[in-house]
Amino acid sequence: QSLLVESGGGLVQAGGSLRLSCAPSRYVLGTHAMVWFRQAPGKEREFVAALNWPRISTYYSDSVKARFTISRDDAKNTLILQMNSLEAEDTALYYCAARLDYCVGKLCAIETAWGYWGQGTQVTVSS
């Protein structure tokens, strides 16, 4: 059983929006950073956005910076990815992951830096 559970994926037309969520399936002590990666068919998994807390800092890939927003709902202990102005190129399986320590800069984009993963939620954008 995955430690993290993603939800909110689906089919949307280009230009539309989706809101992804990632929640722990059981209590996790001591995590201070979470991230979204995505993997399109036939491509490698790529970094999307990361967030550190309690002192909030965020990082985005250039391809989503102006369109996606990563945030955290502290009351629900849930990571959120608000995706606006979706494009066909955003079609992918979206994964969330967590780590105990903060991530900074390029470290956030390294898959092996993240110890806890979900199983992914599919986002399909029709053009």
Side-chain angles (χ1 to χ4, degrees), residues 5-10 18-22 36-39 81 83 90-96 118-124:
V5 179
E6 303 94 337
S7 62
L18 280 175
R19 180 181 173 94
L20 304 184
S21 298
C22 173
W36 290 98
F37 281 82
R38 67 185 182 185
Q39 187 167 20
L81 185 68
M83 307 186 295
D90 295 317
T91 294
L93 188 60
Y94 282 70
Y95 298 90
C96 69
Q119 291 191 335
T121 185
Q122 178 67 39
V123 171
T124 303

Side-chain angles (χ1 to χ4, degrees), residues 21-78:
S21 298
C22 173
S25 59
R26 56 182 172 87
Y27 181 74
V28 179
L29 179 66
T31 55
H32 288 96
M34 294 184 75
V35 68
W36 290 98
F37 281 82
R38 67 185 182 185
Q39 187 167 20
K43 295 187 177 181
E44 295 185 353
R45 195 175 299 187
E46 66 172 357
F47 168 77
V48 176
L51 178 144
N52 294 304
W53 76 87
R55 183 175 180 179
I56 299 297
S57 60
T58 57
Y59 301 90
Y60 294 92
S61 69
D62 289 341
S63 63
V64 308
K65 188 176 297 184
R67 302 181 295 121
F68 292 8
T69 302
I70 190 170
S71 62
R72 187 170 182 267
D73 183 333
D74 290 336
K76 298 180 180 179
N77 196 24
T78 297

Side-chain angles (χ1 to χ4, degrees), residues 80-113:
I80 305 295
L81 185 68
Q82 179 65 44
M83 307 186 295
N84 298 327
S85 302
L86 283 162
E87 304 167 353
E89 292 73 21
D90 295 317
T91 294
L93 188 60
Y94 282 70
Y95 298 90
C96 69
R99 57 183 272 127
L100 299 181
D101 297 328
Y102 297 110
C103 78
V104 178
K106 294 181 179 180
L107 176 66
C108 302
I110 300 174
E111 285 187 60
T112 55

